[in-house]
Amino acid sequence: QLAKIVFSNSDLLHQLNSILHPAVFNDFAEWCKQYEKSAYVLKEAALIYETIIYQKLDKIIVVAAPEEIRVNRVMHRDNVSREAVYQRISNQMSEQDKIDRADYIINNDEHDLIIPQVLQIHSILTSE
């Protein structure tokens, strides 16, 4: 599994990111051209601040959840061990740093309703 290899070797992770991120960014730029008349488009990226992507975006929305919930979700989604998830997390900026830099935050903590938060942000973005 590629994730197991690159998340345990920072040089390989950097090499993979240097290949992947420019290609993904170019693909996204081409995709955005189809929606130029839209009020906004969304870009999903786990590594917003770890790359230069954030410099090209007008606003940042961080979807935040407590660490234990995030870890359990990734374990379930990717069928990986807790240790593997923490290895991935160790290569990312802290959740709090992302929250501190965000323009908007969606709390995905299994208590707060998601849709009202999304609709509020949508309302703000479409009124600008």
Side-chain angles (χ1 to χ4, degrees):
Q1 185 183 55
L2 182 60
K4 187 174 183 176
I5 296 168
V6 298
F7 288 120
S8 64
N9 183 316
S10 61
D11 290 335
L12 289 176
L13 179 60
H14 177 73
Q15 188 176 5
L16 179 63
N17 284 339
S18 69
I19 296 167
L20 234 129
H21 290 291
V24 170
F25 183 79
N26 289 337
D27 186 59
F28 179 70
E30 287 300 313
W31 180 82
C32 284
K33 289 178 184 177
Q34 300 174 54
Y35 301 97
E36 287 178 328
K37 295 186 189 309
S38 299
Y40 61 88
V41 295
L42 299 173
K43 175 175 184 45
E44 186 283 328
L47 302 175
I48 287 282
Y49 294 113
E50 291 86 346
T51 65
I52 62 164
I53 294 170
Y54 75 95
Q55 296 172 350
K56 308 278 187 187
L57 303 174
D58 296 320
K59 301 287 182 187
I60 305 289
I61 302 169
V62 168
V63 179
E67 185 173 283
E68 188 60 26
I69 291 174
R70 289 183 286 126
V71 168
N72 287 333
R73 287 174 178 165
V74 175
M75 287 171 57
H76 178 76
R77 181 194 68 204
D78 295 351
N79 194 29
V80 294
S81 69
R82 180 172 300 279
E83 294 75 29
V85 176
Y86 278 109
Q87 194 168 38
R88 294 177 189 186
I89 289 172
S90 72
N91 289 296
Q92 298 175 356
M93 176 184 284
S94 77
E95 176 101 339
Q96 189 58 54
D97 285 343
K98 291 176 189 176
I99 290 169
D100 291 345
R101 296 173 75 174
D103 297 292
Y104 307 101
I105 299 147
I106 296 173
N107 292 310
N108 189 7
D109 59 6
E110 299 179 354
H111 298 289
D112 294 319
L113 296 174
I114 302 294
I115 293 175
Q117 296 176 76
V118 170
L119 291 175
Q120 181 180 16
I121 294 169
H122 170 75
S123 177
I124 293 167
L125 294 177
T126 56
S127 68
E128 290 183 346

